[in-house]
Amino acid sequence: MSEAYLEELAELIREHKIYPDESRARGEQGEVTIEIVLGPDGSLIERFVARSSGFDALDAASLAAVAAAEPFPPLPKEVAQETVTYSVPLNYFLN
């Protein structure tokens, strides 16, 4: 898989990440790792929390960011698989 394609996916998702107000107010911080499964045309087949932040609101915000980032670009032509699974870490830290 092309590194450029993977970085493009991660950037698309990060652009749609929203830090929930209630999490900020409670001081919740952490990293969520989301796994996404994409079809050859870039369609989202599945998304799930692979590693939780320990906070439901942050985990839910990460899944929402993936949904908001659709549609994803088609897989690169050099990828012969019918689907590809990719892990995306999303960080939520207060300054």
Side-chain angles (χ1 to χ4, degrees):
M1 176 73 68
S2 146
E3 283 298 316
Y5 179 82
L6 297 177
E7 188 50 44
E8 180 182 2
L9 287 181
E11 187 57 34
L12 282 170
I13 294 167
R14 287 186 194 112
E15 287 174 2
H16 291 86
K17 180 184 83 168
I18 296 172
Y19 205 135
D21 289 337
E22 67 271 16
S23 293
R24 285 182 185 275
R26 290 190 295 251
E28 296 174 349
Q29 302 183 87
E31 180 178 89
V32 181
T33 301
I34 299 295
E35 293 235 340
I36 61 173
V37 180
L38 299 177
D41 62 352
S43 60
L44 181 64
I45 295 170
E46 185 177 6
R47 70 179 191 265
F48 58 92
V49 175
R51 188 176 66 216
S52 173
S53 65
F55 300 103
D56 290 342
L58 297 181
D59 295 349
S62 297
L63 291 171
V66 172
E70 289 187 87
F72 295 105
L75 297 178
K77 294 190 185 322
E78 69 267 11
V79 178
Q81 301 166 326
E82 290 192 20
T83 63
V84 65
T85 302
Y86 178 53
S87 295
V88 181
L90 296 171
N91 295 307
Y92 297 86
F93 293 107
L94 299 169
N95 294 335

